[in-house]
Amino acid sequence: MEKGPLTEEARLERMSAPLLAWYKENKRDLPWRIEPNPYKVWVSEIMLQQTRIEAVKPYFDRFMKELPDVAALAAVEDDRLMKLWEGLGYYNRARNLKKAADVIVREYDGVMPPQYQELKKLPGIGCYTAGAIASIVFGEDVPAVDGNVLRVLSRILASREDIGKSSVKKKAEDLLKRVMPKGEAGDFNQGLMELGETVCVPGGIPKCGECPVSRICLARESGLACELPIKAPPKKKKIEKRTVCILEHKDLVGLCRREDTGLLASLYELPNAEGHWNQKQLCQVFHLKEDQVVSIEQLPDAKHIFSHVEWHMIGYRIKVEGELPKGLIAAKKEELKTIYPLPNAFSRYTKLIK
Ligand code: SF4
């Protein structure tokens, strides 16, 4: 019998067997787990960053149908790619997917490199995604540490270290690398992720009664499960007031295209301006001639939260006669569904375009 408290490494070593057995019994049927290949795992992992599994499923199916492999992704038009990504947010993730696909086609004959270190060199692929692809598809013994895994580890070890710190993530990767069962890294990593998603859940009471590793969990033993993990609160977001306009003329709607860099780069948007403007000010703000305005309707307020900024929006529907102001793209209403990628930030208003 061992004497004294277990080291962190020894505690985590005891996690492998029950975790693997539990994962094999309980793993969910997810679209990217059916006949997995590196491309499917890659796309799913990028989509799953900051988005729930249930929300990702329809996007994943649609994406795979239209872009079934790396070559198709490398060749897709930017606007089409953005349209396929519309609603998932964080559009740079999609741009990086395409950039990486380009590199794979040019430098790797269209075949994803199987090694963790090579995968990490591709645009948009960091330690977590490289670890997930390398372990799940290629069986390399490398960890894949995301927020779910950090939460589970922090609770098992009753750690009060801030899981938002990169040093804590690095320490978790080092520890897992040492304790993971050789040759089973894929299931081990997925088991940890799945445990975090379904049992050791965030923002609520973890289901310790159903947990395969409860016997070694220090947070459960000391009643700290709901207090952990520790994560420093996010920085306060800047609030930006905006006025959004649905500018309509018959079956046409005015759109703008955003700059090529910065927030929502290159996407289309409804005309909008910084500040909250009243009805009398709209013609000046949106460059309209007063005699072309047929009607103005106030629309509900809306809010959209980005990673660093919050838009607090008021909206109007302005019907005009003659033609839409110069400089705007006159889009047919049905083309909003099929052609133009419009970010979620405007969804409160785009839903009102009939
Ligand atoms: Fe999480 Fe509870 Fe399992 Fe510990 S016992 S890992 S707190 S679910």
Side-chain angles (χ1 to χ4, degrees):
M1 273 226 2
E2 286 177 53
K3 289 192 181 140
L6 291 175
T7 62
E8 290 187 338
E9 193 168 327
R11 186 170 297 281
L12 293 183
E13 263 166 6
R14 295 181 179 199
M15 169 176 78
S16 299
L19 180 70
L20 283 171
W22 174 84
Y23 177 65
K24 280 173 188 147
E25 273 293 303
N26 293 281
K27 70 175 170 186
R28 291 168 292 177
D29 286 331
L30 300 173
W32 41 93
R33 285 184 181 156
I34 302 165
E35 297 174 25
N37 64 36
Y39 179 67
K40 276 189 188 176
V41 173
W42 173 35
V43 172
S44 69
E45 288 298 344
I46 300 293
M47 284 185 172
L48 286 165
Q49 287 166 19
Q50 335 245 353
T51 312
R52 286 177 310 106
I53 284 182
E54 285 310 313
V56 161
K57 282 180 181 172
Y59 284 96
F60 179 81
D61 290 341
R62 198 174 57 163
F63 199 93
M64 284 298 144
K65 220 169 174 183
E66 190 158 334
L67 306 175
D69 51 34
V70 174
L73 174 57
V76 69
E77 295 281 335
D78 288 351
D79 273 2
R80 188 61 202 148
L81 177 63
M82 292 299 119
K83 193 68 194 162
L84 287 170
W85 204 264
E86 183 188 271
L88 276 172
Y90 302 91
Y91 290 84
N92 268 340
R93 294 183 296 167
R95 288 192 192 93
N96 279 332
L97 270 177
K98 186 178 164 181
K99 278 188 204 161
D102 268 341
V103 177
I104 296 168
V105 166
R106 279 187 287 106
E107 297 180 19
Y108 296 91
D109 288 331
V111 180
M112 281 189 84
Q115 306 87 354
Y116 171 81
Q117 290 299 347
E118 287 297 303
L119 287 163
K120 246 176 51 166
K121 291 180 193 164
L122 295 168
I125 297 194
C127 297
Y128 166 75
T129 311
I133 301 168
S135 64
I136 296 170
V137 193
F138 300 116
E140 189 173 342
D141 292 324
V142 282
V145 176
D146 67 353
N148 282 315
V149 173
L150 283 170
R151 179 173 60 258
V152 174
L153 289 195
S154 153
R155 285 174 174 164
I156 291 177
L157 301 173
S159 165
R160 292 202 156 269
E161 290 181 298
D162 177 356
I163 60 162
K165 286 187 175 168
S166 50
S167 58
V168 173
K169 187 173 177 205
K170 175 81 179 55
K171 183 179 158 193
E173 286 167 349
D174 291 343
L175 262 173
L176 288 177
K177 196 153 191 199
R178 291 203 295 277
V179 303
M180 63 176 33
K182 302 298 168 241
E184 295 194 89
D187 279 358
F188 178 80
N189 287 337
Q190 290 183 94
L192 270 178
M193 294 173 206
E194 191 101 342
L195 190 69
E197 279 157 16
T198 61
V199 177
C200 195
V201 288
I205 300 172
K207 303 169 190 169
C208 301
E210 300 169 26
C211 179
V213 298
S214 60
R215 287 174 63 138
I216 55 144
C217 179
L218 286 175
R220 187 200 53 81
E221 190 181 299
S222 49
L224 289 172
C226 293
E227 280 177 42
L228 296 174
I230 304 289
K231 193 168 182 195
K235 282 196 192 129
K236 250 190 152 213
K237 293 184 203 306
K238 186 179 151 208
I239 306 258
E240 224 173 85
K241 291 180 180 173
R242 299 201 83 79
T243 301
V244 178
C245 231
I246 300 175
L247 266 174
E248 288 182 345
H249 171 56
K250 296 183 178 159
D251 68 335
L252 300 175
V253 180
L255 296 182
C256 316
R257 186 160 197 174
R258 291 183 66 85
E259 310 259 315
D260 289 340
T261 54
L263 187 69
L264 305 175
S266 311
L267 296 173
Y268 295 85
E269 64 181 355
L270 294 171
N272 63 92
E274 193 163 353
H276 282 171
W277 302 97
N278 65 35
Q279 293 202 10
K280 286 187 189 142
Q281 296 165 312
L282 292 177
C283 284
Q284 198 185 350
V285 173
F286 291 101
H287 312 293
L288 293 161
K289 291 186 198 122
E290 280 185 25
D291 58 2
Q292 71 175 135
V293 174
V294 176
S295 64
I296 299 179
E297 175 194 353
Q298 176 121 30
L299 300 173
D301 296 352
K303 185 158 101 171
H304 190 80
I305 301 172
F306 298 95
S307 48
H308 302 296
V309 66
E310 263 182 50
W311 281 2
H312 290 193
M313 293 170 276
I314 60 168
Y316 298 93
R317 186 196 307 272
I318 306 179
K319 291 194 173 166
V320 297
E321 58 185 9
E323 55 185 26
L324 290 167
K326 288 204 173 31
L328 290 186
I329 298 159
K332 289 202 170 127
K333 289 179 182 173
E334 70 261 22
E335 290 174 339
L336 266 50
K337 290 199 182 80
T338 53
I339 296 180
Y340 296 101
L342 282 150
N344 257 1
F346 297 96
S347 63
R348 185 80 178 87
Y349 298 110
T350 48
K351 279 182 194 149
L352 300 174
I353 301 171
K354 302 267 188 282

